[in-house]
Amino acid sequence: MVEFPKLSAKGVLVKQYDQMASTNTAAKEMLEKGTIDQPLLISAAEQTAGHGKLSRSFYSPKGAGVYFTLGLPVSSLPSQQIIPSRFTITATVAAFQVLSQMFDADISIKWVNDLYVDNVKAAGILAEAAVNNANQLCGIVVGWGLNLSQPASLPAELKDQIGFFSRQHVDYQHRLAVIDAVGTAFLGLLDQPWEDIMKVYTDHQFLAGKDLIVDNGQGKEIGRFDHITPEGYLCIKTVDGYQTFSTGTVRQW
């Protein structure tokens, strides 16, 4: 039996591991060393050093979620201009669409790269460029960390910070089906009009109507959500006017 029929049909090589530090790190290293020349998906039942934006840790226990990365060498990237933020948004929309069909959960998208369930983060998505020692682009890696169901044990400090897509345990075959479907959906969306992807992203935006604090690494701004621009940037209305952010972290005020 082919465990990942949809990905296999797309010519994606899949490697599964019981445990590894980070699927994104592993995929980046393989691309940077030039050891793969076709799309590759790496999944791990457990990550010991899973991370998201700004190297923030992502709790990745065995048997509860899925943690996987799709590595795309330069030769397999879309011919249009490579914009890293677009890969992140596309990957987020792919996960949103698949999980909304597979699970009975109230899912929303939080700018830039998270999925929320019942007002709590349940998934993180991270796209990164793979660059070799000669500063040449080797490809793009896109990683998903999806909390499908609650693990047997959960650190006390995380109990109110982590959401899950299912109230019931999600078995092994179902978890594989999620990986297969999300990875395939992402590849399919790469050929779709950007406007269609952005419509899903904005129509299901968690931040809509909320007062926010945005930190772009250079300072913090307080304002009310106004809109997401066609490029995927966040625009808020502050006391001094409108401010637009291409990246950063955001929380409710």
Side-chain angles (χ1 to χ4, degrees), residues 102-123:
M102 285 189 164
F103 298 99
D104 181 19
D106 182 15
I107 306 172
S108 56
I109 298 170
K110 178 176 174 288
W111 183 88
V112 179
N113 58 340
D114 297 329
L115 294 181
Y116 269 46
V117 173
D118 297 329
N119 298 319
V120 186
K121 180 177 176 176

Side-chain angles (χ1 to χ4, degrees), residues 136-162:
Q136 296 172 321
L137 179 68
C138 302
I140 297 289
V141 299
V142 181
W144 292 264
L146 310 178
N147 302 326
L148 299 184
S149 57
Q150 186 165 327
S153 62
L154 189 64
E157 66 272 17
L158 296 179
K159 286 188 176 180
D160 296 325
Q161 300 180 26
I162 296 181

Side-chain angles (χ1 to χ4, degrees), residues 61-81:
K62 187 173 184 178
V66 289
Y67 323 106
F68 58 102
T69 296
L70 187 63
L72 300 175
V74 170
S75 60
S76 67
L77 292 176
S79 57
Q80 62 263 36
Q81 183 181 4

Side-chain angles (χ1 to χ4, degrees), residues 127-181:
E128 300 178 283
V131 181
N132 63 21
N133 292 332
N135 203 33
Q136 296 172 321
L137 179 68
C138 302
I140 297 289
V141 299
V142 181
W144 292 264
L146 310 178
N147 302 326
L148 299 184
S149 57
Q150 186 165 327
S153 62
L154 189 64
E157 66 272 17
L158 296 179
K159 286 188 176 180
D160 296 325
Q161 300 180 26
I162 296 181
F164 306 94
F165 295 100
S166 175
R167 297 182 182 277
Q168 307 296 324
H169 175 70
V170 179
D171 64 30
Y172 175 73
Q173 290 300 328
H174 196 173
R175 294 199 299 273
L176 294 186
V178 169
I179 295 172
D180 196 32

